[in-house]
Amino acid sequence: MTVEEAIRRRRSVRRFQKKPVPRELLMELLDMARWAPCASECCRFVVVQDEERKKQLASAARQEWVASAPVVVVVGADLMERPEIAGRWDAYKFRNIFPVQDTAAAIQTLMLAAVSHGLGTCWIGSFNEGEVARIVHFPLAVRPVAMVAMGYPADEPKARGRRPLEEVVFWETFK
Ligand SMILES: Cc1cc2nc3c(=O)[nH]c(=O)nc-3n(C[C@H](O)[C@H](O)[C@H](O)COP(=O)(O)O)c2cc1C
């Protein structure tokens, strides 16, 4: 599958087959996610397959369907103090903005890699951060940014529309 095919084929999938996802495949996908562009290599991935823990994550998200995904990857940003950036003019960005961008790039890479292997995914951004951190035992410095539900799709969701290209693309200035 080409990158373009993966981009165009990806949909948010919220219904999954019971079929498990092989561990080697998960490792391969996470390896690809690791190669996404990153400012500080702050991304951490916790792969959750235990039924009880998935239920707890679903509850932390107030989204019951999450527990039905064979795999939920909790993506965190390790915000541990880094003395080497303390005096930098862009230290604020390193601490507050780049971790979000790093994890977002990794998540999208993970999702496209998953599509290319016939898997469905859904990005879950709405959840109680404290609860998720507690469930996967993140230390204080690691902040949960998103979860990715993953598995072989049980249906083929229709494409959600997007704003027309001419409404979102500007040339030279935002006119
Ligand atoms: C930052 C972010 C947070 C999201 N949070 C959730 C979520 O909590 N639950 C959910 O079901 N979908 C969530 N989504 C998925 C969007 O609803 C979905 O991407 C959007 O409706 C477009 O549909 P598509 O992914 O099929 O193109 C999230 C997506 C993003 C990028």
Side-chain angles (χ1 to χ4, degrees):
M1 191 185 290
T2 64
V3 174
E4 178 173 352
E5 281 167 343
I7 291 169
R8 293 197 184 278
R9 198 172 290 186
R10 188 208 58 78
R11 305 272 179 275
S12 287
V13 171
R14 299 178 181 86
R15 291 188 58 242
F16 299 92
Q17 300 172 35
K18 290 245 179 293
K19 189 174 157 186
V21 183
R23 190 185 176 97
E24 304 71 45
L25 176 54
L26 287 171
M27 285 304 276
E28 200 182 317
L29 301 178
L30 291 162
D31 182 38
M32 286 190 251
R34 196 168 62 97
W35 285 101
C38 60
S40 63
E41 290 200 79
C42 66
C43 292
R44 303 291 180 266
F45 308 95
V46 180
V47 182
V48 177
Q49 293 170 295
D50 176 74
E51 296 300 331
E52 186 50 38
R53 190 167 281 117
K54 282 189 296 174
K55 275 188 198 152
Q56 292 172 3
L57 292 174
S59 160
R62 318 285 184 261
Q63 302 183 60
E64 266 180 42
W65 65 269
V66 171
S68 71
V71 182
V72 179
V73 180
V74 180
V75 184
D78 190 342
L79 306 175
M80 200 160 71
E81 272 315 309
R82 297 176 51 219
E84 72 274 20
I85 63 162
R88 291 184 62 135
W89 66 272
D90 53 355
Y92 171 83
K93 282 202 157 184
F94 264 95
R95 277 199 204 95
N96 301 285
I97 312 290
F98 292 165
V100 177
Q101 296 185 19
D102 279 12
T103 43
I107 292 165
Q108 177 70 347
T109 303
L110 176 66
M111 291 169 88
L112 292 179
V115 171
S116 77
H117 284 268
L119 290 164
T121 59
C122 186
W123 187 315
I124 303 153
S126 177
F127 54 81
N128 181 301
E129 278 189 33
E131 283 181 43
V132 168
R134 185 180 50 73
I135 293 162
V136 297
H137 298 186
F138 273 155
L140 266 183
V142 182
R143 180 174 173 187
V145 178
M147 302 194 277
V148 180
M150 194 184 282
Y152 292 96
D155 58 8
E156 279 189 30
K158 287 213 173 69
R160 293 278 298 262
R162 293 292 194 271
R163 284 175 189 269
L165 201 54
E166 56 275 15
E167 271 186 30
V168 297
V169 177
F170 303 85
W171 296 89
E172 306 298 344
T173 60
F174 188 71
K175 57 189 183 303

mmCIF file with all atom_site columns, all heavy atoms in Angstrom, residues 10-12 14 63 65 122-126 160 162, ligand 1:
data_model
loop_
_atom_site.group_PDB
_atom_site.id
_atom_site.type_symbol
_atom_site.label_atom_id
_atom_site.label_alt_id
_atom_site.label_comp_id
_atom_site.label_asym_id
_atom_site.label_entity_id
_atom_site.label_seq_id
_atom_site.pdbx_PDB_ins_code
_atom_site.Cartn_x
_atom_site.Cartn_y
_atom_site.Cartn_z
_atom_site.occupancy
_atom_site.B_iso_or_equiv
_atom_site.pdbx_formal_charge
_atom_site.auth_seq_id
_atom_site.auth_comp_id
_atom_site.auth_asym_id
_atom_site.auth_atom_id
_atom_site.pdbx_PDB_model_num
ATOM   1   N N   . ARG A 1 10  ? -7.574  5.466  5.638  1.00 0.00 ? 10  ARG A N   1
ATOM   2   C CA  . ARG A 1 10  ? -7.740  5.520  7.101  1.00 0.00 ? 10  ARG A CA  1
ATOM   3   C C   . ARG A 1 10  ? -9.073  6.146  7.503  1.00 0.00 ? 10  ARG A C   1
ATOM   4   O O   . ARG A 1 10  ? -9.494  7.141  6.955  1.00 0.00 ? 10  ARG A O   1
ATOM   5   C CB  . ARG A 1 10  ? -6.602  6.335  7.733  1.00 0.00 ? 10  ARG A CB  1
ATOM   6   C CG  . ARG A 1 10  ? -6.592  6.284  9.257  1.00 0.00 ? 10  ARG A CG  1
ATOM   7   C CD  . ARG A 1 10  ? -5.978  7.525  9.841  1.00 0.00 ? 10  ARG A CD  1
ATOM   8   N NE  . ARG A 1 10  ? -6.681  8.725  9.404  1.00 0.00 ? 10  ARG A NE  1
ATOM   9   C CZ  . ARG A 1 10  ? -7.839  9.144  9.913  1.00 0.00 ? 10  ARG A CZ  1
ATOM   10  N NH1 . ARG A 1 10  ? -8.430  8.494  10.897 1.00 0.00 ? 10  ARG A NH1 1
ATOM   11  N NH2 . ARG A 1 10  ? -8.426  10.238 9.446  1.00 0.00 ? 10  ARG A NH2 1
ATOM   12  N N   . ARG A 1 11  ? -9.744  5.496  8.427  1.00 0.00 ? 11  ARG A N   1
ATOM   13  C CA  . ARG A 1 11  ? -10.953 6.039  9.048  1.00 0.00 ? 11  ARG A CA  1
ATOM   14  C C   . ARG A 1 11  ? -10.839 5.788  10.540 1.00 0.00 ? 11  ARG A C   1
ATOM   15  O O   . ARG A 1 11  ? -10.163 4.840  10.938 1.00 0.00 ? 11  ARG A O   1
ATOM   16  C CB  . ARG A 1 11  ? -12.223 5.299  8.590  1.00 0.00 ? 11  ARG A CB  1
ATOM   17  C CG  . ARG A 1 11  ? -12.442 5.231  7.112  1.00 0.00 ? 11  ARG A CG  1
ATOM   18  C CD  . ARG A 1 11  ? -13.202 6.452  6.624  1.00 0.00 ? 11  ARG A CD  1
ATOM   19  N NE  . ARG A 1 11  ? -13.370 6.377  5.188  1.00 0.00 ? 11  ARG A NE  1
ATOM   20  C CZ  . ARG A 1 11  ? -12.456 6.791  4.294  1.00 0.00 ? 11  ARG A CZ  1
ATOM   21  N NH1 . ARG A 1 11  ? -11.335 7.313  4.715  1.00 0.00 ? 11  ARG A NH1 1
ATOM   22  N NH2 . ARG A 1 11  ? -12.675 6.677  3.006  1.00 0.00 ? 11  ARG A NH2 1
ATOM   23  N N   . SER A 1 12  ? -11.563 6.546  11.333 1.00 0.00 ? 12  SER A N   1
ATOM   24  C CA  . SER A 1 12  ? -11.621 6.194  12.750 1.00 0.00 ? 12  SER A CA  1
ATOM   25  C C   . SER A 1 12  ? -12.490 4.957  12.892 1.00 0.00 ? 12  SER A C   1
ATOM   26  O O   . SER A 1 12  ? -13.660 4.966  12.511 1.00 0.00 ? 12  SER A O   1
ATOM   27  C CB  . SER A 1 12  ? -12.218 7.355  13.552 1.00 0.00 ? 12  SER A CB  1
ATOM   28  O OG  . SER A 1 12  ? -11.280 8.397  13.639 1.00 0.00 ? 12  SER A OG  1
ATOM   29  N N   . ARG A 1 14  ? -14.204 2.167  15.374 1.00 0.00 ? 14  ARG A N   1
ATOM   30  C CA  . ARG A 1 14  ? -14.618 1.995  16.779 1.00 0.00 ? 14  ARG A CA  1
ATOM   31  C C   . ARG A 1 14  ? -15.274 0.645  17.020 1.00 0.00 ? 14  ARG A C   1
ATOM   32  O O   . ARG A 1 14  ? -15.784 0.394  18.107 1.00 0.00 ? 14  ARG A O   1
ATOM   33  C CB  . ARG A 1 14  ? -15.551 3.144  17.190 1.00 0.00 ? 14  ARG A CB  1
ATOM   34  C CG  . ARG A 1 14  ? -14.888 4.518  17.080 1.00 0.00 ? 14  ARG A CG  1
ATOM   35  C CD  . ARG A 1 14  ? -15.822 5.661  17.443 1.00 0.00 ? 14  ARG A CD  1
ATOM   36  N NE  . ARG A 1 14  ? -15.180 6.958  17.302 1.00 0.00 ? 14  ARG A NE  1
ATOM   37  C CZ  . ARG A 1 14  ? -15.115 7.654  16.164 1.00 0.00 ? 14  ARG A CZ  1
ATOM   38  N NH1 . ARG A 1 14  ? -15.667 7.165  15.044 1.00 0.00 ? 14  ARG A NH1 1
ATOM   39  N NH2 . ARG A 1 14  ? -14.507 8.833  16.117 1.00 0.00 ? 14  ARG A NH2 1
ATOM   40  N N   . GLN A 1 63  ? -15.890 6.346  27.470 1.00 0.00 ? 63  GLN A N   1
ATOM   41  C CA  . GLN A 1 63  ? -16.210 5.828  26.132 1.00 0.00 ? 63  GLN A CA  1
ATOM   42  C C   . GLN A 1 63  ? -16.110 4.301  26.207 1.00 0.00 ? 63  GLN A C   1
ATOM   43  O O   . GLN A 1 63  ? -15.019 3.739  26.063 1.00 0.00 ? 63  GLN A O   1
ATOM   44  C CB  . GLN A 1 63  ? -15.249 6.386  25.078 1.00 0.00 ? 63  GLN A CB  1
ATOM   45  C CG  . GLN A 1 63  ? -15.262 7.926  25.007 1.00 0.00 ? 63  GLN A CG  1
ATOM   46  C CD  . GLN A 1 63  ? -14.359 8.496  23.921 1.00 0.00 ? 63  GLN A CD  1
ATOM   47  O OE1 . GLN A 1 63  ? -14.552 8.208  22.741 1.00 0.00 ? 63  GLN A OE1 1
ATOM   48  N NE2 . GLN A 1 63  ? -13.386 9.309  24.318 1.00 0.00 ? 63  GLN A NE2 1
ATOM   49  N N   . TRP A 1 65  ? -16.907 1.849  24.299 1.00 0.00 ? 65  TRP A N   1
ATOM   50  C CA  . TRP A 1 65  ? -16.458 1.061  23.149 1.00 0.00 ? 65  TRP A CA  1
ATOM   51  C C   . TRP A 1 65  ? -14.941 0.809  23.192 1.00 0.00 ? 65  TRP A C   1
ATOM   52  O O   . TRP A 1 65  ? -14.462 -0.167 22.623 1.00 0.00 ? 65  TRP A O   1
ATOM   53  C CB  . TRP A 1 65  ? -16.852 1.753  21.834 1.00 0.00 ? 65  TRP A CB  1
ATOM   54  C CG  . TRP A 1 65  ? -16.155 3.075  21.616 1.00 0.00 ? 65  TRP A CG  1
ATOM   55  C CD1 . TRP A 1 65  ? -16.593 4.306  21.985 1.00 0.00 ? 65  TRP A CD1 1
ATOM   56  C CD2 . TRP A 1 65  ? -14.874 3.259  21.008 1.00 0.00 ? 65  TRP A CD2 1
ATOM   57  N NE1 . TRP A 1 65  ? -15.665 5.259  21.656 1.00 0.00 ? 65  TRP A NE1 1
ATOM   58  C CE2 . TRP A 1 65  ? -14.610 4.644  21.051 1.00 0.00 ? 65  TRP A CE2 1
ATOM   59  C CE3 . TRP A 1 65  ? -13.924 2.424  20.441 1.00 0.00 ? 65  TRP A CE3 1
ATOM   60  C CZ2 . TRP A 1 65  ? -13.427 5.200  20.540 1.00 0.00 ? 65  TRP A CZ2 1
ATOM   61  C CZ3 . TRP A 1 65  ? -12.751 2.973  19.934 1.00 0.00 ? 65  TRP A CZ3 1
ATOM   62  C CH2 . TRP A 1 65  ? -12.520 4.341  19.994 1.00 0.00 ? 65  TRP A CH2 1
ATOM   63  N N   . CYS A 1 122 ? -8.396  4.248  16.232 1.00 0.00 ? 122 CYS A N   1
ATOM   64  C CA  . CYS A 1 122 ? -9.091  5.504  16.547 1.00 0.00 ? 122 CYS A CA  1
ATOM   65  C C   . CYS A 1 122 ? -8.272  6.268  17.580 1.00 0.00 ? 122 CYS A C   1
ATOM   66  O O   . CYS A 1 122 ? -7.828  5.706  18.588 1.00 0.00 ? 122 CYS A O   1
ATOM   67  C CB  . CYS A 1 122 ? -10.502 5.251  17.087 1.00 0.00 ? 122 CYS A CB  1
ATOM   68  S SG  . CYS A 1 122 ? -11.439 6.793  17.304 1.00 0.00 ? 122 CYS A SG  1
ATOM   69  N N   . TRP A 1 123 ? -8.086  7.521  17.303 1.00 0.00 ? 123 TRP A N   1
ATOM   70  C CA  . TRP A 1 123 ? -7.379  8.441  18.207 1.00 0.00 ? 123 TRP A CA  1
ATOM   71  C C   . TRP A 1 123 ? -8.350  8.818  19.320 1.00 0.00 ? 123 TRP A C   1
ATOM   72  O O   . TRP A 1 123 ? -9.480  9.231  19.054 1.00 0.00 ? 123 TRP A O   1
ATOM   73  C CB  . TRP A 1 123 ? -7.006  9.682  17.400 1.00 0.00 ? 123 TRP A CB  1
ATOM   74  C CG  . TRP A 1 123 ? -6.130  10.707 18.041 1.00 0.00 ? 123 TRP A CG  1
ATOM   75  C CD1 . TRP A 1 123 ? -6.211  11.225 19.290 1.00 0.00 ? 123 TRP A CD1 1
ATOM   76  C CD2 . TRP A 1 123 ? -5.040  11.384 17.403 1.00 0.00 ? 123 TRP A CD2 1
ATOM   77  N NE1 . TRP A 1 123 ? -5.242  12.167 19.478 1.00 0.00 ? 123 TRP A NE1 1
ATOM   78  C CE2 . TRP A 1 123 ? -4.511  12.287 18.334 1.00 0.00 ? 123 TRP A CE2 1
ATOM   79  C CE3 . TRP A 1 123 ? -4.470  11.314 16.132 1.00 0.00 ? 123 TRP A CE3 1
ATOM   80  C CZ2 . TRP A 1 123 ? -3.436  13.135 18.042 1.00 0.00 ? 123 TRP A CZ2 1
ATOM   81  C CZ3 . TRP A 1 123 ? -3.404  12.150 15.837 1.00 0.00 ? 123 TRP A CZ3 1
ATOM   82  C CH2 . TRP A 1 123 ? -2.893  13.049 16.785 1.00 0.00 ? 123 TRP A CH2 1
ATOM   83  N N   . ILE A 1 124 ? -7.946  8.670  20.552 1.00 0.00 ? 124 ILE A N   1
ATOM   84  C CA  . ILE A 1 124 ? -8.812  9.044  21.677 1.00 0.00 ? 124 ILE A CA  1
ATOM   85  C C   . ILE A 1 124 ? -8.113  10.143 22.468 1.00 0.00 ? 124 ILE A C   1
ATOM   86  O O   . ILE A 1 124 ? -7.062  9.915  23.069 1.00 0.00 ? 124 ILE A O   1
ATOM   87  C CB  . ILE A 1 124 ? -9.079  7.824  22.593 1.00 0.00 ? 124 ILE A CB  1
ATOM   88  C CG1 . ILE A 1 124 ? -9.706  6.698  21.776 1.00 0.00 ? 124 ILE A CG1 1
ATOM   89  C CG2 . ILE A 1 124 ? -9.995  8.204  23.754 1.00 0.00 ? 124 ILE A CG2 1
ATOM   90  C CD1 . ILE A 1 124 ? -9.415  5.339  22.348 1.00 0.00 ? 124 ILE A CD1 1
ATOM   91  N N   . GLY A 1 125 ? -8.695  11.319 22.397 1.00 0.00 ? 125 GLY A N   1
ATOM   92  C CA  . GLY A 1 125 ? -8.075  12.459 23.074 1.00 0.00 ? 125 GLY A CA  1
ATOM   93  C C   . GLY A 1 125 ? -8.850  12.903 24.295 1.00 0.00 ? 125 GLY A C   1
ATOM   94  O O   . GLY A 1 125 ? -8.348  13.650 25.134 1.00 0.00 ? 125 GLY A O   1
ATOM   95  N N   . SER A 1 126 ? -10.092 12.410 24.390 1.00 0.00 ? 126 SER A N   1
ATOM   96  C CA  . SER A 1 126 ? -10.953 12.858 25.475 1.00 0.00 ? 126 SER A CA  1
ATOM   97  C C   . SER A 1 126 ? -10.939 11.828 26.596 1.00 0.00 ? 126 SER A C   1
ATOM   98  O O   . SER A 1 126 ? -11.486 10.733 26.452 1.00 0.00 ? 126 SER A O   1
ATOM   99  C CB  . SER A 1 126 ? -12.372 13.035 24.906 1.00 0.00 ? 126 SER A CB  1
ATOM   100 O OG  . SER A 1 126 ? -13.237 13.407 25.931 1.00 0.00 ? 126 SER A OG  1
ATOM   101 N N   . ARG A 1 160 ? -15.650 10.627 6.926  1.00 0.00 ? 160 ARG A N   1
ATOM   102 C CA  . ARG A 1 160 ? -16.232 11.867 7.469  1.00 0.00 ? 160 ARG A CA  1
ATOM   103 C C   . ARG A 1 160 ? -15.790 12.995 6.560  1.00 0.00 ? 160 ARG A C   1
ATOM   104 O O   . ARG A 1 160 ? -14.638 13.048 6.139  1.00 0.00 ? 160 ARG A O   1
ATOM   105 C CB  . ARG A 1 160 ? -15.695 12.129 8.885  1.00 0.00 ? 160 ARG A CB  1
ATOM   106 C CG  . ARG A 1 160 ? -16.149 11.118 9.916  1.00 0.00 ? 160 ARG A CG  1
ATOM   107 C CD  . ARG A 1 160 ? -17.540 11.419 10.447 1.00 0.00 ? 160 ARG A CD  1
ATOM   108 N NE  . ARG A 1 160 ? -17.627 12.697 11.122 1.00 0.00 ? 160 ARG A NE  1
ATOM   109 C CZ  . ARG A 1 160 ? -17.568 12.840 12.447 1.00 0.00 ? 160 ARG A CZ  1
ATOM   110 N NH1 . ARG A 1 160 ? -17.405 11.793 13.214 1.00 0.00 ? 160 ARG A NH1 1
ATOM   111 N NH2 . ARG A 1 160 ? -17.662 14.024 13.004 1.00 0.00 ? 160 ARG A NH2 1
ATOM   112 N N   . ARG A 1 162 ? -14.736 16.707 5.090  1.00 0.00 ? 162 ARG A N   1
ATOM   113 C CA  . ARG A 1 162 ? -13.783 17.734 5.517  1.00 0.00 ? 162 ARG A CA  1
ATOM   114 C C   . ARG A 1 162 ? -14.179 19.048 4.851  1.00 0.00 ? 162 ARG A C   1
ATOM   115 O O   . ARG A 1 162 ? -14.849 19.058 3.812  1.00 0.00 ? 162 ARG A O   1
ATOM   116 C CB  . ARG A 1 162 ? -12.354 17.380 5.072  1.00 0.00 ? 162 ARG A CB  1
ATOM   117 C CG  . ARG A 1 162 ? -11.759 16.147 5.752  1.00 0.00 ? 162 ARG A CG  1
ATOM   118 C CD  . ARG A 1 162 ? -11.508 16.369 7.225  1.00 0.00 ? 162 ARG A CD  1
ATOM   119 N NE  . ARG A 1 162 ? -10.666 15.350 7.828  1.00 0.00 ? 162 ARG A NE  1
ATOM   120 C CZ  . ARG A 1 162 ? -11.093 14.216 8.375  1.00 0.00 ? 162 ARG A CZ  1
ATOM   121 N NH1 . ARG A 1 162 ? -12.384 13.916 8.379  1.00 0.00 ? 162 ARG A NH1 1
ATOM   122 N NH2 . ARG A 1 162 ? -10.236 13.373 8.929  1.00 0.00 ? 162 ARG A NH2 1
HETATM 123 C C1  . LIG B 2 .   ? -6.954  15.201 18.935 1.00 0.00 ? 1   LIG B C1  1
HETATM 124 C C2  . LIG B 2 .   ? -8.024  14.187 18.603 1.00 0.00 ? 1   LIG B C2  1
HETATM 125 C C3  . LIG B 2 .   ? -8.848  13.724 19.616 1.00 0.00 ? 1   LIG B C3  1
HETATM 126 C C4  . LIG B 2 .   ? -9.821  12.780 19.319 1.00 0.00 ? 1   LIG B C4  1
HETATM 127 N N1  . LIG B 2 .   ? -10.553 12.253 20.359 1.00 0.00 ? 1   LIG B N1  1
HETATM 128 C C5  . LIG B 2 .   ? -11.472 11.297 20.098 1.00 0.00 ? 1   LIG B C5  1
HETATM 129 C C6  . LIG B 2 .   ? -12.155 10.671 21.182 1.00 0.00 ? 1   LIG B C6  1
HETATM 130 O O1  . LIG B 2 .   ? -11.932 10.946 22.359 1.00 0.00 ? 1   LIG B O1  1
HETATM 131 N N2  . LIG B 2 .   ? -13.077 9.719  20.865 1.00 0.00 ? 1   LIG B N2  1
HETATM 132 C C7  . LIG B 2 .   ? -13.347 9.337  19.581 1.00 0.00 ? 1   LIG B C7  1
HETATM 133 O O2  . LIG B 2 .   ? -14.175 8.460  19.374 1.00 0.00 ? 1   LIG B O2  1
HETATM 134 N N3  . LIG B 2 .   ? -12.692 9.913  18.532 1.00 0.00 ? 1   LIG B N3  1
HETATM 135 C C8  . LIG B 2 .   ? -11.750 10.868 18.754 1.00 0.00 ? 1   LIG B C8  1
HETATM 136 N N4  . LIG B 2 .   ? -11.033 11.410 17.719 1.00 0.00 ? 1   LIG B N4  1
HETATM 137 C C9  . LIG B 2 .   ? -11.293 10.956 16.340 1.00 0.00 ? 1   LIG B C9  1
HETATM 138 C C10 . LIG B 2 .   ? -12.112 12.001 15.540 1.00 0.00 ? 1   LIG B C10 1
HETATM 139 O O3  . LIG B 2 .   ? -13.436 11.995 16.021 1.00 0.00 ? 1   LIG B O3  1
HETATM 140 C C11 . LIG B 2 .   ? -12.057 11.628 14.050 1.00 0.00 ? 1   LIG B C11 1
HETATM 141 O O4  . LIG B 2 .   ? -10.717 11.635 13.625 1.00 0.00 ? 1   LIG B O4  1
HETATM 142 C C12 . LIG B 2 .   ? -12.872 12.609 13.214 1.00 0.00 ? 1   LIG B C12 1
HETATM 143 O O5  . LIG B 2 .   ? -14.250 12.455 13.493 1.00 0.00 ? 1   LIG B O5  1
HETATM 144 C C13 . LIG B 2 .   ? -12.670 12.396 11.708 1.00 0.00 ? 1   LIG B C13 1
HETATM 145 O O6  . LIG B 2 .   ? -13.025 11.086 11.331 1.00 0.00 ? 1   LIG B O6  1
HETATM 146 P P1  . LIG B 2 .   ? -11.963 10.112 10.625 1.00 0.00 ? 1   LIG B P1  1
HETATM 147 O O7  . LIG B 2 .   ? -10.821 9.902  11.578 1.00 0.00 ? 1   LIG B O7  1
HETATM 148 O O8  . LIG B 2 .   ? -12.713 8.821  10.337 1.00 0.00 ? 1   LIG B O8  1
HETATM 149 O O9  . LIG B 2 .   ? -11.487 10.783 9.357  1.00 0.00 ? 1   LIG B O9  1
HETATM 150 C C14 . LIG B 2 .   ? -10.035 12.334 17.983 1.00 0.00 ? 1   LIG B C14 1
HETATM 151 C C15 . LIG B 2 .   ? -9.195  12.812 16.972 1.00 0.00 ? 1   LIG B C15 1
HETATM 152 C C16 . LIG B 2 .   ? -8.195  13.709 17.283 1.00 0.00 ? 1   LIG B C16 1
HETATM 153 C C17 . LIG B 2 .   ? -7.250  14.148 16.189 1.00 0.00 ? 1   LIG B C17 1
#
